[in-house]
Amino acid sequence: MSMQVAKTLDLKGLSCPLPIVKTAQAIKELASGELIEALATDPGSVADFNAWCRSTGNELVEQTEQDGVYRFVIRKK
Amino acid sequence: MSVEEQTLAIPAHEHEEHPKHKKLVIIAWSGELDKVWPQMILATTGAAMGMDVTVFFTFWGLFALVKEDKHITGENWMQKMVALLDRPGMEHLRLSKMNFAGAGPAMMAKLAKEHNVASPGELLKMAVDMGVKLVPCQMTMDLLGLKREDMIDGLAEPAGATTMLMEAQDAITLFI
């Protein structure tokens, strides 16, 4: 299984609901199984990305934080 | 708990945990900035979550859908007076508190820009792009003298309470 990210979204500085809304729009362009990487600074996005993945069925495969930047890697359902 | 300490991957069984409601109906009754904003935030977020979202605009909520270049709406003096006292359009919404003759909303717009918060107008455009169904209420349009051509493009056909309640039968319903 390749961990190649198909698309990276820079959502730094954006506030709710934009990180999720923009991710939802961007993931439409991907094929099933492809990975999208989202970089956000909104602390609320940690809970929101988890909830969004649970509700949409997309898989949150990686979640890290470095210097205030949250990185989410999501596999499209 | 830091993010690193949280479980990195969601356990497989949770992937099946889809929400019970895949439909969201928002009754947008208010026309104030601090209420139109959450109407638009929840509508776009619902669409982002793959929900089937309908926003039913009625009473003061309708005025947020009036085109920006349209200052006065209505056919008779009473209807015109409503628009004159409270200018329609997404960019002219008042705050429900601390309005201070428009200083409050101006301050709010500045804060929103500084914090990269999308304005209700921007969110409305996104909602249209994301396929949110925006339904104006026919009865209140007639009551307030709002015509289809006074309002922005991208709206669904005006409808009534029955349509809204039909939509709401198997949906999460919010009255804002």
Side-chain angles (χ1 to χ4, degrees):
Chain A
M1 186 173 57
S2 157
M3 277 294 279
Q4 198 79 40
V5 169
K7 189 168 192 165
T8 296
L9 283 179
D10 184 3
L11 309 167
K12 295 194 285 289
L14 298 181
S15 297
C16 172
L18 292 182
I20 291 295
V21 168
K22 288 189 182 288
T23 303
Q25 285 174 326
I27 209 165
K28 282 191 196 144
E29 316 287 312
L30 266 62
S32 178
E34 281 192 310
L35 297 176
I36 191 164
E37 174 187 53
L39 304 170
T41 48
D42 172 20
S45 63
V46 176
D48 283 353
F49 271 92
N50 276 279
W52 180 74
C53 285
R54 279 207 306 278
S55 100
T56 55
N58 296 304
E59 185 189 357
L60 185 56
V61 290
E62 209 179 312
Q63 172 182 303
T64 52
E65 188 263 349
Q66 195 175 18
D67 304 324
V69 178
Y70 303 96
R71 177 174 175 269
F72 306 95
V73 179
I74 299 157
R75 179 177 288 114
K76 184 174 177 168
K77 187 172 75 163
Chain B
M1 185 170 69
S2 80
V3 178
E4 289 94 325
E5 290 168 58
Q6 291 181 17
T7 326
L8 287 181
I10 298 170
H13 67 272
E14 287 195 19
H15 294 160
E16 312 308 322
E17 190 199 314
H18 299 307
K20 241 179 16 209
H21 296 283
K22 290 299 275 183
K23 272 177 84 177
L24 172 64
V25 170
I26 299 172
I27 302 166
W29 177 86
S30 309
E32 291 149 326
L33 175 64
D34 44 357
K35 293 176 186 165
V36 174
W37 220 326
Q39 289 165 9
M40 293 301 120
I41 290 171
L42 293 170
T44 48
T45 305
M49 290 174 75
M51 297 174 91
D52 179 8
V53 185
T54 302
V55 188
F56 187 74
F57 293 87
T58 186
F59 281 88
W60 312 115
L62 282 172
F63 286 100
L65 299 178
V66 172
K67 289 175 183 154
E68 287 310 321
D69 55 358
K70 194 89 192 165
H71 294 210
I72 299 292
T73 50
E75 311 214 285
N76 57 49
W77 71 269
M78 287 177 288
Q79 293 169 340
K80 286 188 198 321
M81 193 59 86
V82 173
L84 192 69
L85 290 173
D86 199 352
R87 184 174 165 180
M90 213 34 133
E91 304 304 320
H92 298 92
L93 305 175
R94 297 167 180 228
L95 281 171
S96 69
K97 57 191 282 188
M98 300 193 287
N99 189 61
F100 302 129
M107 223 165 63
M108 203 58 91
K110 190 170 184 294
L111 284 173
K113 196 148 275 173
E114 280 171 12
H115 290 266
N116 273 315
V117 175
S119 72
E122 290 166 333
L123 292 168
L124 177 67
K125 283 195 195 85
M126 285 182 205
V128 172
D129 290 345
M130 297 172 91
V132 170
K133 225 163 99 190
L134 306 167
V135 185
C137 161
Q138 182 68 66
M139 184 280 281
T140 33
M141 279 174 71
D142 295 343
L143 186 75
L144 297 164
L146 293 169
K147 294 188 290 289
R148 192 63 192 78
E149 59 266 31
D150 294 335
M151 298 159 100
I152 59 160
D153 298 329
L155 304 183
E157 280 304 302
T162 311
T163 308
M164 196 284 299
L165 287 178
M166 271 296 290
E167 290 279 346
Q169 277 184 2
D170 52 350
I172 296 172
T173 310
L174 303 172
F175 186 96
I176 306 175

